[in-house]
Amino acid sequence: MKPLLKCPYLVDCWGREMRITLSILIAERINQLRKSRKLSVNKLATMSGLSYSTLNSILRGKSKSPTLETLIRIATALNMTILEFLNVPEIVNFS
């Protein structure tokens, strides 16, 4: 499996470095899984029982702490358990 992110920092649109957060890693994980299954954001939102704006705010990092219930809904829509969804080195080793 390829890594979610290549380095521990991102650069924002003003060129400032930003530290990787757990919410960014979760957003990257969702996008990685969504794209590998060829699902649009809207389709995954529908499958998860979430609104498009809720899922989109998670993916854009606007939602800093999605609930466990929301993550379980997304994982279930992707035919995964929450443990499978979260079981990537970047998330497991996050501190």
Side-chain angles (χ1 to χ4, degrees):
M1 178 183 307
K2 70 181 194 177
L4 294 178
L5 298 169
K6 293 181 175 138
C7 83
Y9 292 93
L10 293 175
V11 176
D12 69 12
C13 58
W14 294 280
R16 298 178 300 200
E17 282 190 347
M18 299 171 32
R19 183 100 173 111
I20 299 299
T21 63
L22 186 56
S23 60
I24 290 171
L25 292 173
I26 288 171
E28 288 298 317
R29 177 69 168 151
I30 295 168
N31 271 321
Q32 180 186 64
L33 294 165
R34 179 183 66 78
K35 290 175 182 177
S36 73
R37 289 164 170 76
K38 297 178 175 39
L39 297 172
S40 67
V41 174
N42 194 47
K43 180 68 175 173
L44 181 56
T46 300
M47 291 168 59
S48 303
L50 301 172
S51 69
Y52 172 85
S53 62
T54 297
L55 182 56
N56 197 42
S57 73
I58 293 168
L59 296 177
R60 290 184 298 118
K62 295 292 182 186
S63 175
K64 299 295 182 200
S65 55
T67 66
L68 182 57
E69 178 184 356
T70 297
L71 296 179
I72 290 171
R73 285 175 163 217
I74 294 167
T76 301
L78 295 167
N79 293 317
M80 305 175 84
T81 66
I82 190 64
L83 293 176
E84 291 168 326
F85 175 79
L86 296 173
N87 192 23
V88 291
E90 296 87 348
I91 293 174
V92 170
N93 299 322
F94 183 80
S95 58

